Amino acid sequence: MGGGGQEIHSDPFSFPVRVYWEDTDAGGVVYHAQYLAFMERARSEWMRGLGLGQDLLRSRDDLVFVVRAMTTDFRAPARLDDQLQVSVRLLECRGASLVLVQRVERDGALLVEASVRIAALRASSFRPCPIPPALAASLALLVETA
């Protein structure tokens, strides 16, 4: 991948998350901002699973991916001690951005869904930049249809 010749596989990605006290309000319901943290962890693990850890991208390609925009639909609450699955699907890979869909589910029931636009930035300047061609080509193989 990205010069290393590593293959990227398009298996569906899902990351398990357990709900702890620190994730909830006084009623034991997950605080809305915690879903963003759960989704960030899942995106990071998805990238790491592709062989694209954030440290590697920063040191090798002077590249970081950051959230530029997010639309979130909260459908049902998660509660203390729930076991959740947070999924990541790549819908678009453009010159300098990605669009992902993320879902938070409990026992197959959808709790939260988000559309996430990710921007590519130079790590050294935090200015927008194109995704390196080899990386973009590899990520394009993962694009799914909605």
Side-chain angles (χ1 to χ4, degrees):
M1 164 94 236
Q6 180 175 353
E7 281 188 41
I8 292 183
H9 302 284
S10 61
D11 297 333
F13 182 83
S14 183
F15 181 70
V17 173
R18 173 74 65 190
V19 175
Y20 299 108
W21 272 117
E22 66 191 27
D23 302 319
T24 66
D25 62 16
V29 174
V30 171
Y31 180 65
H32 72 279
Q34 275 309 114
Y35 292 104
L36 304 183
F38 297 160
M39 288 186 266
E40 174 68 26
R41 289 180 208 157
R43 286 192 307 275
S44 294
E45 292 300 328
W46 174 69
M47 293 294 290
R48 182 176 285 116
L50 296 173
L52 300 170
Q54 294 176 44
D55 282 341
L56 173 67
L57 291 175
R58 190 174 63 240
S59 64
R60 183 188 71 195
D61 298 320
D62 190 31
L63 178 71
V64 292
F65 286 116
V66 299
V67 173
R68 174 152 181 338
M70 179 182 277
T71 303
T72 309
D73 184 12
F74 298 95
R75 297 186 183 191
R79 299 181 186 279
L80 178 65
D81 224 22
D82 281 353
Q83 179 66 45
L84 308 176
Q85 291 293 323
V86 185
S87 63
V88 179
R89 291 181 28 236
L90 180 60
L91 292 187
E92 293 179 25
C93 181
R94 296 184 172 187
S97 68
L98 307 172
V99 175
L100 306 169
V101 169
Q102 291 194 259
R103 295 169 59 101
V104 179
E105 298 179 343
R106 179 187 54 233
D107 298 325
L110 179 61
L111 305 180
V112 179
E113 185 170 44
S115 174
V116 186
R117 179 166 299 280
I118 304 292
L121 304 179
R122 290 259 173 259
S124 56
S125 66
F126 256 55
R127 307 276 298 166
C129 69
I131 298 169
L135 176 57
S138 293
L139 288 171
L141 298 173
L142 300 175
V143 172
E144 300 180 22
T145 56

